Amino acid sequence: MGIYVTKPFLPPVEEYEQYVREIYERDILTNQGPCVQKLERKLADFLQATHFHYVTNGTIALQLALKALDITEGEIITTPFSYVATVSSILWERCTPVFVDIEPNNFTIDAEKIERAITPRTKAVLGVHVFGYACDVEGIKEIANKHGLRVIYDGAHAFASRYKGRSLLGYGDVSTCSFHATKLFHTIEGGACITENAETAARLDLLRRFGNIGDEYPLPGINGKQTEFNAAMGLANFDHLAEILAARKHISELYDSLLSGNIRRPKKQEGLEYNYAYYPAVFADEEKLLAAFKRLGDRDIFPRRYFYPSLNRLPYLAATDSCPVSEDISRRIACLPLYPGLKDEEVRTICEVLS
C-alpha cells in the first residue's frame, strides 16, 4: 500500500458508533441538530470565537462570507498561491479577483503590495493563511481601515494555529475554515465561518439556512447546513485533537532533522504557534522536483504539488496580473506525506530518497 500526502484520521469506530446510535434514537438528521450544536460549542470554545457557524464545506463558507458582507460585485484582492476554491468562490459570487503576489518567506499575500492594487472598484481583501502560516494581519487591517475595505481570511489550513496568543481564525471581518477529510481536524466534509461582529453573524446564520426564520424569508439564502453524521465525526475526532497535533509536530520535526539544509522551508512568523498542517518543501527548480517525484513514485510514495499552478495563470481567467514570486514557488514546491500514523521509518525512507 502506498504512502500518500495525507491520510484522514479516524477515531476508534466504537466512539463514532456511539454518536450514531444516539442519532438513530433521536431521529434528527439535520437542521441544526444536537450533534451540530454541541460541535459548534466545542469548536467555538477551542477557538475562543465569539460567533461560530458550522457549514457544509470550506468553499460554501467563503461564499457565505462574501454574501454576509454584502460583497456581490467589484474587485477582491487576493493571493495567487492557494487552492482553486479561493478564486472559484470569488468568481461564483460574480466578483473579479485581483491577484497580488506573495511574499517570499512564508508564501502568504504580500501586504506591502496590496495598496497599489486598490482601485475604486475594490471591495475587499481575501487573504489565505497558507499551510497554517499567518498573513500579515496587522498590515492588512491597517490598509483595509484606510481604504474602507472588508477583510476575509481563507483559513482552510489555519485550524489550531495561533498568532500572538489568539486563534488565527479570529482575525478579519470573517474567517473561514475547512474540515475536509484531508485537514488535520475533519468532519469528513465541513467548514465554518467565524466572526466577532454580531450583525455579520446573524446574516451568516440566515444565509446558511435558506434565509428562513419560521414563515419569514428576509434574505435569499442557500442550504449550507451540516448533517448530524458529519458533526458526529467531528465530535469523535475532537477528543483526539491533542494527539493529532502532537503526532504531526513529531513527524514535522523528524523531517526537519533529516532534511536540514537540503530543502527550503517556509519561515514561521514571530508570535505564531504553528499547527503543523502540512510539510511544504521548496526544491531548487522544477526539474529537481519532478525528478524527486519520479524517485518517490517508484517507491509508492506520493507527495503532491501544493499549489500548482499559480492561480493568476488559470486558463479561464482574463487576469494579466504578474505574480513572479508565486509563479516561481508554485513550480517547485510540494507537500511531503504528513499524517498521524506515518511511521518514523517511512519518514526516513522519504528523506533518503530525497537526499
Side-chain angles (χ1 to χ4, degrees):
M1 187 173 178
I3 299 173
Y4 292 89
V5 68
T6 191
K7 181 179 180 181
F9 177 86
L10 287 171
V13 67
E14 59 272 13
E15 295 180 14
Y16 183 61
E17 285 176 343
Q18 178 58 39
Y19 286 109
V20 171
R21 282 193 291 269
E22 293 172 7
I23 293 170
Y24 269 72
E25 290 169 5
R26 287 191 295 260
D27 289 333
I28 298 173
L29 305 184
T30 187
N31 289 347
Q32 295 300 109
C35 285
V36 166
Q37 293 180 45
K38 184 177 181 179
L39 183 61
E40 283 190 322
R41 289 193 298 269
K42 281 181 173 289
L43 293 178
D45 289 344
F46 177 77
L47 298 169
Q48 297 178 308
T50 305
H51 302 286
F52 180 96
H53 297 294
Y54 179 43
V55 298
T56 48
N57 57 63
T59 305
I60 288 294
L62 283 169
Q63 292 175 238
L64 287 169
L66 290 165
K67 285 290 190 185
L69 297 173
D70 199 28
I71 302 169
T72 56
E73 60 180 0
E75 296 174 349
I76 297 177
I77 292 172
T78 192
T79 173
F81 191 71
S82 180
Y83 184 58
V84 70
T86 304
V87 70
S88 296
S89 300
I90 294 171
L91 295 169
W92 207 261
E93 296 307 317
R94 299 179 181 274
C95 295
T96 302
V98 174
F99 295 105
V100 165
D101 209 352
I102 58 176
E103 60 85 39
N105 291 318
N106 67 7
F107 314 144
T108 58
I109 190 169
D110 192 336
E112 294 183 0
K113 297 176 180 175
I114 288 175
E115 200 157 16
R116 71 190 71 165
I118 295 172
T119 75
R121 298 191 69 240
T122 305
K123 298 295 181 67
V125 177
L126 200 170
V128 178
H129 300 304
V130 65
F131 303 134
Y133 296 98
C135 290
D136 179 0
V137 292
E138 293 99 344
I140 292 171
K141 182 178 181 179
E142 183 179 345
I143 293 166
N145 289 345
K146 178 180 176 181
H147 294 275
L149 304 177
R150 297 290 201 167
V151 178
I152 300 169
Y153 285 112
D154 181 341
H157 301 172
F159 184 83
S161 276
R162 296 176 63 81
Y163 179 64
K164 295 188 175 180
R166 179 183 177 189
S167 168
L168 197 48
L169 296 170
Y171 293 89
D173 292 294
V174 179
S175 283
T176 68
C177 197
S178 171
F179 303 133
H180 184 266
T182 57
K183 301 301 188 289
L184 70 85
F185 172 79
H186 76 87
T187 63
I188 308 172
E189 285 277 6
C193 294
I194 298 101
T195 182
E196 297 297 301
N197 183 278
E199 182 179 347
T200 302
R203 284 178 60 84
L204 283 166
D205 184 44
L206 271 175
L207 287 165
R208 70 170 168 172
R209 51 189 178 90
F210 301 106
N212 173 224
I213 307 176
D215 293 329
E216 302 295 325
Y217 295 84
L219 293 174
I222 60 173
N223 186 2
K225 298 183 274 65
Q226 188 55 283
T227 76
E228 288 290 274
F229 292 97
N230 291 85
M233 179 60 75
L235 289 168
N237 279 338
F238 186 84
D239 292 337
H240 297 273
L241 189 53
E243 68 185 80
I244 291 169
L245 292 169
R248 301 181 80 91
K249 180 180 180 182
H250 167 76
I251 295 165
S252 295
E253 290 178 345
L254 182 57
Y255 272 129
D256 285 345
S257 68
L258 296 171
L259 292 173
S260 178
N262 292 332
I263 288 179
R264 181 185 163 203
R265 300 270 292 127
K267 183 179 179 181
K268 189 172 74 170
Q269 298 96 332
E270 188 75 26
L272 180 71
E273 298 173 45
Y274 189 51
N275 63 0
Y276 303 95
Y278 295 86
Y279 195 88
V282 182
F283 291 75
D285 53 49
E286 187 175 24
E287 183 179 356
K288 287 184 172 60
L289 178 145
L290 295 175
F293 270 43
K294 175 65 169 61
R295 296 196 305 274
L296 290 167
D298 289 343
R299 302 285 291 272
D300 288 331
I301 300 167
F302 304 102
R304 184 174 171 186
R305 299 183 78 173
Y306 281 113
F307 293 99
Y308 180 82
S310 183
L311 295 178
N312 61 309
R313 296 302 180 196
L314 287 171
Y316 48 79
L317 291 177
T320 57
D321 306 310
S322 176
C323 300
V325 180
S326 176
E327 291 167 37
D328 172 49
I329 295 297
S330 70
R331 283 192 292 267
R332 53 193 183 95
I333 192 170
C335 284
L336 303 184
L338 174 60
Y339 51 84
L342 184 65
K343 299 179 178 64
D344 286 5
E345 56 265 33
E346 293 172 326
V347 174
R348 291 190 179 95
T349 297
I350 293 166
C351 294
E352 287 170 7
V353 174
L354 292 175
S355 296

